[in-house]
Amino acid sequence: MTILITGSTGKFGKNSIEFLLSNGVNPKSIFALVRDESKGKQFQDKGLNIRIGDYSNEESLIKAFQGIEKLLFISSSDIENRIDHHNNVIKAAKQVGTIKHLVYTSFFRKEEVEKSGNSTIGFVGKPHIITEDLIEKSGINYTILQNILYTDFLTEFFFGEKVLENGIFFPAGNGIGNYATRKDMAEAAVNILLDGNQQKHVNKKYIISNEESSSFEDASKILSEISGKTISYTSPDIATFENTLTGFGVPPVYIQLSVAFGLAIQNNEFNTQKTDLSTLLKRKPTTFKQFLFDTYKNNK
């Protein structure tokens, strides 16, 4: 069995590789896709193979996928070029003809929001919708993971580095979401790849979300508990938020992305009662509270 991980140098990719190794997979059967050889040393030091390939270069992917039986296809981080990148991956996977199972990290969308076309983060979801369609028509056995917004995304991008000093300042309103951790999602993906009964996952779509829903107000209360002081949560109007971040020199693209996600959270676009994550993990997912404790307990 040969398994290739795309996006191997990213956090999801690294987590996935660690889970493969901790499950006793022979490092020699794991292939990490990297854009240049220098980025592959970290994997070679662990006994893994590396393959050189770039999402923007289909020929490089065809070469990289030679002899690969299972492919963990981690979505491109380049939103603007994501559709082209993903099309290259799928065409290359089909071309080599050896891939028996493709697991793709997609993005969660509420059906009713998707149909309405009114989502402020439609630009994020659309490439995934197109990619899912391309995968379904490729003839390759697939599993699509419709991943909810990472809990990590909140702490890495929305809370701010000094959240325990300044509190949370983000236009999420009273919205709630069933956020799940990146590690749990990577573990679920690996569990699918290693399941002895692959057939039960073939041509399936799974919703990857937490069982519990949480708000930014919940986050402020948990952070207050962690730090031993009151951590405030302020949900400003959009104009105030934009002006404040502009004043701090935040790039306009980042401000626009934050606003889009803030409005989506306000609209409860990440709140769902549907999830397959616990089943795939064979345990309860990491809770919002536990993740925040693990992230901030040493920073108080």
Side-chain angles (χ1 to χ4, degrees), residues 57-259:
N57 186 329
E58 182 186 346
E59 289 302 317
S60 74
L61 296 173
I62 292 173
K63 185 177 179 180
F65 293 169
Q66 293 296 320
I68 299 300
E69 296 170 286
K70 296 184 180 182
L71 178 66
L72 177 53
F73 174 14
I74 298 172
S75 59
S76 170
S77 59
D78 184 343
I79 295 176
E80 185 176 347
N81 296 299
R82 185 173 277 164
I83 295 172
D84 289 338
H85 285 179
H86 289 184
N87 193 29
N88 286 338
V89 172
I90 296 162
K91 287 193 294 182
K94 187 175 180 178
Q95 176 78 14
V96 298
T98 59
I99 294 173
K100 299 175 181 177
H101 194 178
L102 180 155
V103 177
Y104 171 60
T105 63
S106 190
F107 188 67
F108 172 79
R109 296 95 53 192
K110 276 188 171 179
E111 187 176 348
E112 61 271 25
V113 176
E114 185 177 322
K115 287 180 178 178
S116 73
N118 293 327
S119 174
T120 57
I121 53 170
F123 65 96
V124 178
K126 183 178 178 181
H128 290 288
I129 295 170
I130 293 172
T131 301
E132 289 182 19
D133 184 60
L134 291 171
I135 290 171
E136 289 171 10
K137 292 176 178 176
S138 71
I140 301 171
N141 290 335
Y142 65 83
T143 304
I144 291 171
L145 306 178
Q146 295 183 336
N147 292 338
I148 203 87
L149 187 65
Y150 299 153
T151 315
D152 317 48
F153 207 81
L154 307 186
T155 58
E156 292 170 4
F157 296 102
F158 299 158
F159 286 4
E161 293 181 0
K162 297 183 178 181
V163 64
L164 296 184
E165 298 175 30
N166 302 330
I168 303 171
F169 182 80
F170 194 78
N174 297 316
I176 56 176
N178 293 69
Y179 314 111
T181 69
R182 186 188 285 113
K183 274 191 174 182
D184 279 357
M185 294 183 187
E187 183 178 348
V190 167
N191 286 349
I192 292 170
L193 289 168
L194 300 183
D195 196 324
N197 183 7
Q198 288 284 286
Q199 197 59 37
K200 72 181 181 182
H201 302 295
V202 167
N203 300 345
K204 297 281 183 68
K205 291 184 180 183
Y206 293 126
I207 293 176
I208 308 300
S209 65
N210 219 320
E211 295 180 354
E212 61 167 22
S213 58
S214 305
S215 66
F216 277 52
E217 185 64 39
D218 293 329
S220 71
K221 291 176 181 177
I222 296 167
L223 293 175
S224 296
E225 183 180 348
I226 294 169
S227 64
K229 58 185 179 182
T230 300
I231 304 297
S232 63
Y233 165 51
T234 302
S235 179
D237 61 71
I238 299 304
T240 299
F241 181 73
E242 292 176 335
N243 290 336
T244 301
L245 265 63
T246 299
F248 282 113
V250 177
V253 171
Y254 177 73
I255 296 174
Q256 292 166 12
L257 191 65
S258 297
V259 168

Side-chain angles (χ1 to χ4, degrees), residues 1-9 13 16-17 20-21 25-34 40 43-44 47-52 63-72 74:
M1 174 183 66
T2 52
I3 303 174
L4 185 138
I5 314 296
T6 74
S8 61
T9 57
S16 300
I17 288 170
L20 285 169
L21 293 172
V25 176
N26 185 339
K28 291 301 180 186
S29 67
I30 305 172
F31 293 75
L33 184 72
V34 295
F43 304 118
Q44 291 175 316
L48 278 66
N49 300 285
I50 63 167
R51 291 282 176 86
I52 310 300
K63 185 177 179 180
F65 293 169
Q66 293 296 320
I68 299 300
E69 296 170 286
K70 296 184 180 182
L71 178 66
L72 177 53
I74 298 172

